[in-house]
Structures are given as structure tokens and as C-alpha cells.
Amino acid sequence: MHLVSFEDEQSHLRDISCSPVEGFTQRERCVLGNKNNIIGALIGDSHATMLWSPLNDKLNEMGVGIVSFTYDGCPPVLNIYRRGIVNSCAKYISDTFDYIRDNEQIKFVLDSARWTILVERERFDNKEGGLESGKDVVMDIVRNGVFEKNREEDRKEKVLAEMEHSILSLSSTGKSVYVVYPVPEVGFIPAERLAENLILGQKLDLTTSYDIFLERNRRVRDLFMKIRSSSDEIDFFDISESICDKSTRRCKPTNY
């Protein structure tokens, strides 16, 4: 039996949720919710795009809208680039930050990304047989048109510093800023594993280790805690508190 992949399903949900803005592709800039009452912005990479469908439903209920500046592969961090990839992410993110700063209509910003891979570079290994495919994602610093290639530990520290700078820069605009913590990774496609259990009668585990998650995300979580302790004007949402059980030390994907 052919199984429709989780990514295809989610892509369809996103595409029907977000209304494109003239002059931009749908994945670059669009409106979620009420187009006539825009009060906020969503920025981020493909992980932020995953929020389109539920946000669209909730915003329509509330009668408000937000502009989405999500761009696949472009994390909302200033002054960084991905080695080996030629794209316009650095300029796009800089332009997005300028737009948010100068637009009085935008009262708040929701900031979401796959933060951890920007620092750690390696794809996720859940240490239980679930290994994400793909090449390393090596982010480094671009400053004044110069693309740096830092040593690994220096690279990590500099990317973390730019991440902090970017979040604080958003806050300095006077907008309310809400940052989404790293979402627990799984190392497999939950929908496909669930289908194998239901259709093929297998008993594959849908959960992953909470401790592996904490170790994997330690640097980013420490940074977010540092920002939280120094600023009362930035709110953080830690989704792991909802999907990870601290007593069993296991995390379960949402909706499964």
C-alpha cells in the first residue's frame, strides 16, 4: 500500500492556509488569518511554516491576521549563511527585520526556527535507530560581505551570539516578541511509522528519549534561558513541556 508522506500532507495543509501577497511567492510572504486586520508577523524557516495551518485557523477565529515571512532554509538570524549554498537568505532576513521595525501595523512577532541544527550542524540521531538523512547544515558568519569559515567551536559560539543579537534586535523595535523553543526531533516520519503499526501490525515506538533531546539542544536552551533571565519583554514557548513526560523521560510527537 502506498503511504502518503507526512511532508506531503503538511505541505498541502500549509499551501491552503496561507494567502500569497502580490509580488512574492507563497512561501516567501503571505497572510494568515484576517487580511484586513493584520497585527503581527511570523518569521522563520520551514519549521515556522509548519505553524501555518493551526495559526490560520486560530487567527480566523480571533478575527486578526499576521504576515508570514517564513522562507524554507532561511532561519531568522542576522549575519549568517550556509556554507556550500548560494542563496539570498542573509539579505532576505535583513529586509524582513527592517520591514518589521518600520511597520507600525505590526505589534508582535512570532519567531520560530530549527534553532539547534544551526549550531550543532549534524542531522538528528535519536540513538535508537532513528537517523535523519541529509548532509550537515553548516552555518557560519557573513559580515560586511565577507563569508567567514570559522573553526568549529568558534563557529558555534558566533552563531549563538548572532542568534541572541537577532532576538534582542527584534525586541528593540518595541514589538512584543514570542520565541518558540526547539521542537523535539524524532529521527523518523511519525505518520509513516504510525501507518506501519496500524497497517502492517508492527509495534514501532513513536516516542524518543527526553534526555537525548535535552543534550542535543543544550546550547540553544542555555542561550534562551540566558535571554529569559535578562529580559522580561521577550516571551518563550517551550513545546517540550507539552509533549515530553519527565517521569518516563520520553517525548511523543504531537497528534499521535
Side-chain angles (χ1 to χ4, degrees):
M1 177 179 290
H2 175 69
L3 301 178
V4 178
S5 73
F6 176 70
E7 289 96 335
D8 288 344
E9 176 188 341
Q10 292 300 310
S11 179
H12 174 68
L13 286 173
R14 293 194 296 268
D15 287 342
I16 65 175
S17 299
C18 206
S19 302
V21 174
E22 185 177 356
F24 294 82
T25 70
Q26 190 168 5
R27 290 303 177 90
E28 288 175 345
R29 180 179 166 196
C30 63
V31 177
L32 296 165
N34 188 342
K35 305 179 189 62
N36 300 313
N37 188 21
I38 296 173
I39 62 171
L42 169 68
I43 62 173
D45 54 19
S46 58
H47 273 219
T49 308
M50 293 285 286
L51 301 174
W52 275 5
S53 184
L55 273 177
N56 184 59
D57 293 342
K58 190 62 178 178
L59 291 166
N60 275 318
E61 284 182 21
M62 298 170 62
V64 299
I66 64 174
V67 181
S68 172
F69 288 101
T70 60
Y71 201 142
D72 291 3
C74 288
V77 180
L78 297 165
N79 306 318
I80 67 172
Y81 79 102
R82 181 175 174 179
R83 289 189 203 164
I85 299 292
V86 178
N87 59 34
S88 58
C89 280
K91 183 179 185 307
Y92 180 79
I93 296 303
S94 178
D95 290 347
T96 296
F97 275 52
D98 288 345
Y99 179 91
I100 290 171
R101 180 196 64 215
D102 297 336
N103 193 322
E104 295 181 359
Q105 191 179 23
I106 294 177
K107 305 301 182 185
F108 71 88
V109 182
L110 181 58
D111 195 3
S112 175
R114 191 178 181 186
W115 305 108
T116 297
I117 202 169
L118 309 180
V119 179
E120 305 302 334
R121 75 182 278 169
E122 295 94 354
R123 299 286 179 172
F124 181 59
D125 180 355
N126 69 14
K127 310 299 182 183
E128 299 172 337
L131 180 62
E132 181 186 4
S133 62
K135 297 179 180 179
D136 286 359
V137 178
V138 187
M139 308 301 295
D140 215 325
I141 306 302
V142 54
R143 205 177 303 280
N144 298 321
V146 177
F147 294 83
E148 299 180 8
K149 290 188 177 180
N150 290 285
R151 294 183 304 173
E152 185 60 13
E153 284 307 309
D154 291 339
R155 183 195 67 80
K156 289 179 178 178
E157 290 302 319
K158 289 185 176 183
V159 170
L160 282 167
E162 289 301 335
M163 200 178 292
E164 178 179 15
H165 164 68
S166 299
I167 293 172
L168 294 177
S169 292
L170 285 173
S171 179
S172 71
T173 64
K175 320 290 184 180
S176 299
V177 177
Y178 303 92
V179 181
V180 180
Y181 260 72
V183 177
E185 302 158 290
V186 292
F188 54 83
I189 299 174
E192 291 188 355
R193 181 162 289 194
L194 177 62
E196 290 181 46
N197 286 348
L198 295 174
I199 298 170
L200 304 179
Q202 299 193 36
K203 296 182 179 180
L204 301 173
D205 193 359
L206 291 172
T207 67
T208 52
S209 168
Y210 181 49
D211 295 304
I212 293 295
F213 159 73
L214 291 177
E215 177 56 30
R216 161 82 166 171
N217 295 276
R218 177 178 55 80
R219 288 185 179 88
V220 171
R221 291 177 65 87
D222 285 350
L223 171 64
F224 285 3
M225 184 56 68
K226 172 188 172 185
I227 298 173
R228 293 177 76 165
S229 64
S230 63
S231 175
D232 295 329
E233 299 176 351
I234 304 173
D235 289 320
F236 289 82
F237 297 102
D238 187 354
I239 195 171
S240 72
E241 295 179 353
S242 300
I243 67 175
C244 297
D245 188 325
K246 294 180 181 179
S247 60
T248 64
R249 313 301 292 176
R250 306 295 293 180
C251 300
K252 185 175 182 179
T254 56
N255 301 325
Y256 295 97

